[in-house]
Amino acid sequence: MLFALPFGLGWYTAGGAKTLAYDAVTNALMPLCVEAVLANPAAVAELKLKRLSDYDDVVRDHLKTIGTYKTDLTFWRACGKLLEGKVERTAA
């Protein structure tokens, strides 16, 4: 069964609407992700030692969920990108 929902100027299928909703939730939770990781001393210590491209690994290890929202690879990468420049890195 195919149905469409009106969003903005166009129409979206149920799958397209689900993707838009997922993206909206992810974007809304990004500031909370950054705040939660930076509030964790163990995560900050790891960030100081990691390469910028590995920040998503730190997010994955220290932030499995935000409330009832289960995080995933896309979420970890986006949060890791936002963490760049927020922590003074230690030379390895």
Side-chain angles (χ1 to χ4, degrees):
M1 171 169 19
L2 178 68
F3 69 93
L5 300 171
F7 283 96
L9 300 174
W11 289 80
Y12 295 94
T13 62
K18 185 176 180 180
T19 300
L20 285 174
Y22 173 82
D23 291 344
V25 169
T26 298
N27 288 335
L29 291 176
M30 279 301 126
L32 295 174
C33 175
V34 171
E35 184 178 317
V37 172
L38 293 177
N40 183 335
V44 172
E46 278 188 53
L47 289 172
K48 289 180 179 183
L49 300 174
K50 294 278 190 175
R51 294 180 305 180
L52 294 176
S53 61
D54 293 333
Y55 277 14
D56 58 329
D57 294 337
V58 176
V59 176
R60 178 196 65 217
D61 294 341
H62 293 278
L63 192 66
K64 301 290 185 201
T65 61
I66 294 182
T68 59
Y69 184 78
K70 187 173 180 338
T71 60
D72 61 7
L73 179 61
T74 305
F75 186 87
W76 301 325
R77 285 186 178 160
C79 187
K81 277 283 192 200
L82 289 177
L83 285 167
E84 292 178 9
K86 304 256 188 228
V87 176
E88 189 173 320
R89 298 181 60 229
T90 304

